[in-house]
């Protein structure tokens, strides 16, 4: 029973202390006065958290100051006191004291809550959901039925938890079996894919490894053939180019001295040397011609200078007998002598110019010859390079031109055909190896899974899967049977309680022969005499509130050591008749001893006036 409550800086109160008596106490006051704050303070003291407010900063009237709740209560004839403080951003201190001895029984929020649960023989959830019926609890009950809190408490009181360890063992075994079954089922599904045919994967892997070795050897042989064919193909390509070079040399040798017959007896290195010598001679001749052309050009310049000097020395008014200095020796000469000299200069300049033009023509011819020789030498050098450096292994560098020409009358494409065939076979072998590796990887993975699961063959895995599935079925049946037994025992033990609730409901509603039961979620259902079943959602607001209040009262009485009940605004949303009936029910339940103490918050002062004088009814104005 709750004896005293002290609140400091708690929600609606700066400081307030209230003393409670046994019986039924109505916390009376208008909305917002602080009725709910009182009930929430009691639940906070008992469980460490209020029911309707979860944000700690809203617990305090002044957020910068800590809130303090000090609650005194009695259980089994002993008196205890709980003191809890709450800060804006974290929990503060907490302690539970045995008043008689003064001993501190617990000194943290969590330990205080656990100690209270042991003292009262119930859980914090049961306190919050059953012992305390908060404002709007009908709506909360409809959406969040107190299945776990109520069911566990009922099971504890009725002694049904004896089978929990057995059911837990079954559940754990069932999970272990299912965990074992899942990977085996996955493995069998892979094994049964088309193409696998439930094969012995270890033997299949050995066969695949042998086939793989064969393919690798085949690939090695084909690569050697491919390299040889590639060299043959490369040589044929050089031979084809040599054919065009030889054709060029043969054609040009027929047109140029010393003629084709001269070259037929020569080897390629000899022909190359010949062209180099001829090219050297031609280049020397060109050098001499260019030097001669330069000398002639210099002579022409000297004679032109003489002609220019004579013209400069002539005056405009000189007579035929006048003399002028010779531009060469400076002796005086007559005009007639001057004219003769001028004529001789012109003749010599003309002769020299003709010689220069002839020399330039000879030089052009030689340059053309050098160009042709260089082209010929380039072709010979290409053949020489291919033969000397071994790119054409079938022909010796000492072979004469006469012997070479017949070798290239027709193109050879055999090597090219071989390369094409070998490439196709090589690609086919590579593809076969890739397919084999993929198949081998899949089999290796399956075989690895078999080994990891502890099996040597697929047949072992299949037998194990059958055994496990039979074991799983047995465990499920055992679990279902245990649950059924527990439900049967629960309903059997709850029959007196159901009968009491039905009796109280009949007195409240005037409807007799209704049976009330609770499902696994803690939701009430009613069955009429005609066999019609109704759930809570099918009742009016007043009927829901009344039925839940009856259930809270009777369940709290039977299934806990708690001798008090906390109810917040149970009369709200009820019509006048249901309000009076519900108040009468609460007062009569208190007198019958259904609970030792009930704290009921309400604003219905006018309704309660007629009951204030009754024994066991108390009023606390808020």
């Amino acid at each position: 029973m709750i004896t005293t409550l002290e609140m400091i800086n708690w929600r609606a109160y700066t400081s307030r202390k209230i003393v409670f008596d046994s019986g039924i106490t109505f916390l009376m006051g208008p909305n917002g006065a602080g009725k709910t704050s009182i009930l929430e303070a009691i639940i906070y003291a008992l469980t460490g958290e209020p029911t309707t407010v979860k944000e700690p900063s809203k617990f305090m009237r002044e957020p910068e100051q800590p809130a303090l709740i000090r609650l005194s209560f009695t259980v089994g004839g002993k008196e205890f006191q709980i003191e809890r403080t709450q800060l804006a951003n974290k929990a503060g201190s907490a302690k539970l004291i045995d008043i008689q001895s003064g001993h501190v029984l617990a000194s943290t929020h969590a330990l205080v809550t656990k100690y209270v649960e042991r003292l009262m023989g119930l859980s914090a959830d049961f306190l919050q959901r059953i012992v305390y019926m908060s404002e709007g609890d009908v709506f909360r009950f409809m959406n969040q039925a107190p299945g776990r809190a109520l069911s566990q408490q009922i099971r504890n009181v009725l002694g049904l938890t004896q089978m929990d360890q057995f059911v837990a063992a079954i559940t754990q075994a069932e999970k272990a079996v299912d965990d074992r079954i899942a990977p085996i089922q996955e493995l069998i599904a892979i094994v049964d894919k088309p193409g696998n045919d439930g094969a012995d994967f270890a033997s299949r892997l050995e066969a695949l490894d042998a086939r793989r070795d064969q393919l690798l050897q085949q690939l090695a042989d084909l690569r050697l053939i491919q390299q040889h064919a590639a060299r043959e193909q490369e040589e044929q390509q050089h031979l084809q180019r040599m054919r065009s070079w030889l054709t060029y040399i043969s054609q040009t040798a027929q047109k140029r001295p010393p003629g084709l017959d001269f070259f037929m007896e020569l080897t390629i290195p000899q022909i190359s040397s010949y062209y180099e010598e001829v090219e050297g001679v031609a280049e020397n001749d060109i050098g001499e011609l260019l030097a001669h052309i330069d000398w002639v050009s210099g002579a022409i310049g000297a004679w032109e200078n003489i002609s220019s000097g004579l013209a400069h020395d002539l005056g405009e008014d000189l007579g035929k007998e006048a003399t002028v200095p010779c531009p060469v020796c400076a002796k005086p000469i007559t005009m007639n002598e001057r004219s003769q000299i001028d004529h001789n200069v012109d003749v010599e300049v003309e002769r020299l110019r003709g010689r220069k033009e002839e020399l330039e023509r000879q030089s052009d011819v030689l340059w053309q010859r050098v160009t042709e020789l260089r082209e010929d030498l380039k072709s010979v050098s290409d053949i020489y390079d291919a033969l000397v450096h071994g790119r054409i292994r079938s022909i010796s560098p000492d072979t004469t031109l006469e012997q070479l020409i017949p070798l290239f009358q027709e193109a050879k494409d055999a090597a090219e055909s071989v390369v094409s065939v070998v490439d196709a076979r090589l690609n086919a072998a590579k593809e076969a190896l890739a397919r084999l590796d993929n198949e081998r990887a899949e089999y290796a993975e399956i075989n690895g899974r078999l080994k990891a699961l502890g099996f040597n063959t697929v047949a072992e895995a299949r037998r194990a899967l059958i055994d496990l599935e039979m074991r799983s079925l047995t465990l499920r049946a055992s679990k279902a049977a245990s649950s059924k037994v527990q439900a049967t025992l629960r309903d059997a033990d709850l029959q007196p309680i159901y009968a009491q609730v039905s009796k109280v409901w009949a007195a409240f509603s005037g409807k007799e022969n209704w049976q009330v039961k609770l499902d696994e979620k803690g939701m009430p259902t009613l069955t009429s005499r005609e066999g019609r079943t109704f759930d809570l959602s099918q009742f009016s607001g007043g009927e829901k509130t009344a039925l839940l209040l009856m259930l809270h009262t009777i369940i709290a009485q039977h299934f806990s050591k708690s001798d008090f009940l906390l109810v917040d605004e149970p009369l709200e949303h009820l019509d006048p008749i249901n309000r009076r009936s519900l108040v009468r029910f609460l007062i009569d339940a208190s007198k019958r001893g259904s609970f030792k103490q009930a704290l009921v918050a309400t604003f219905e002062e006018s309704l309660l006036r007629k009951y204030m004088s009754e024994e066991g009814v108390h009023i606390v104005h808020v």
Side-chain angles (χ1 to χ4, degrees), residues 62 78 100 154 199 234 275 302 328 414 417 426 464 481 490 520:
E62 297 294 336
K78 291 185 176 183
Q100 184 176 357
I154 291 174
E234 182 181 4
Y275 275 124
V328 179
S417 299
L426 193 62
R490 175 180 179 274
E520 288 296 326

Side-chain angles (χ1 to χ4, degrees), residues 30-101:
N31 289 334
K35 302 185 295 297
T36 300
S37 297
I38 296 172
L39 300 180
E40 288 285 310
I42 295 172
I43 286 297
Y44 172 74
L46 294 171
T47 67
E49 58 179 273
T51 300
T52 59
V53 179
K54 299 301 181 182
E55 189 175 338
S57 62
K58 293 184 178 180
F59 298 169
M60 290 150 285
R61 185 176 183 85
E62 297 294 336
E64 66 277 4
Q65 298 295 325
L68 169 66
I69 299 297
R70 188 177 290 115
L71 178 73
S72 298
F73 63 99
T74 60
V75 176
K78 291 185 176 183
E79 187 174 6
F80 302 89
Q81 186 180 81
I82 297 174
E83 184 177 297
R84 294 187 192 256
T85 61
Q86 179 67 46
L87 305 177
N89 56 355
K90 64 178 181 178
S93 61
K95 61 182 176 179
L96 173 65
I97 303 172
D98 184 331
I99 298 297
Q100 184 176 357
S101 65

Side-chain angles (χ1 to χ4, degrees), residues 401-557:
L401 184 60
E402 185 177 14
Q403 294 169 332
L404 281 174
I405 291 176
L407 298 176
F408 307 102
Q409 297 303 312
E410 295 181 0
K412 298 180 181 180
D413 57 356
E416 185 173 346
S417 299
V418 171
V419 169
S420 178
V421 172
V422 172
D423 284 347
R425 291 178 59 190
L426 193 62
N427 289 333
K430 288 179 180 178
E431 292 174 0
L433 183 62
R435 289 193 298 270
L436 185 145
D437 283 342
N438 288 336
E439 185 178 4
R440 185 183 180 281
E442 183 175 351
Y443 289 164
E445 180 186 359
I446 294 173
N447 195 52
R449 288 191 180 189
L450 275 172
K451 300 299 183 185
L453 292 171
F455 306 119
N456 292 318
T457 65
V458 175
E460 289 182 14
R462 291 186 190 278
R463 289 194 296 270
L465 181 61
I466 293 172
D467 292 342
L468 287 167
E469 287 177 339
M470 291 180 63
R471 192 183 308 172
S472 178
L473 289 174
T474 302
L475 290 170
R476 285 191 175 89
S478 299
K479 188 175 180 180
S482 299
S483 299
K484 187 174 182 179
V485 168
Q486 287 184 334
T488 301
L489 292 173
R490 175 180 179 274
D491 285 341
D493 288 334
L494 287 176
Q495 288 305 317
I497 298 165
Y498 291 156
Q500 184 179 354
V501 175
S502 298
K503 181 179 179 180
V504 174
W505 173 255
F508 174 80
S509 64
K511 300 175 182 178
E512 298 183 356
N513 298 320
W514 282 71
Q515 183 181 8
V516 180
K517 294 182 67 174
L518 295 173
D519 63 17
E520 288 296 326
K521 294 181 179 180
M523 292 289 287
T525 60
L526 284 84
T527 304
S528 69
R529 180 170 49 189
E530 294 81 13
R532 295 177 61 192
T533 300
F534 300 85
D535 60 35
L536 194 63
S537 63
Q538 294 174 283
F539 290 88
S540 67
E543 290 174 324
K544 292 174 187 176
T545 303
L547 180 57
L548 288 179
L549 186 55
M550 294 173 193
L551 286 170
H552 278 244
T553 302
I554 295 171
I555 289 171
Q557 176 191 11

Side-chain angles (χ1 to χ4, degrees), residues 88 119 134 150 192 209 275 295 345 376 431 457 556 583 601:
L119 283 174
S134 63
L150 178 58
D192 290 339
D209 286 341
Y275 275 124
W295 181 86
V345 168
D376 297 345
E431 292 174 0
T457 65
V583 170

Side-chain angles (χ1 to χ4, degrees), residues 212-224:
R212 190 172 188 275
D213 291 340
Q214 293 175 356
L215 280 174
L216 290 173
Q217 184 59 50
Q218 182 181 350
L219 280 170
D221 294 341
L222 286 171
R223 287 193 176 99
L224 289 175

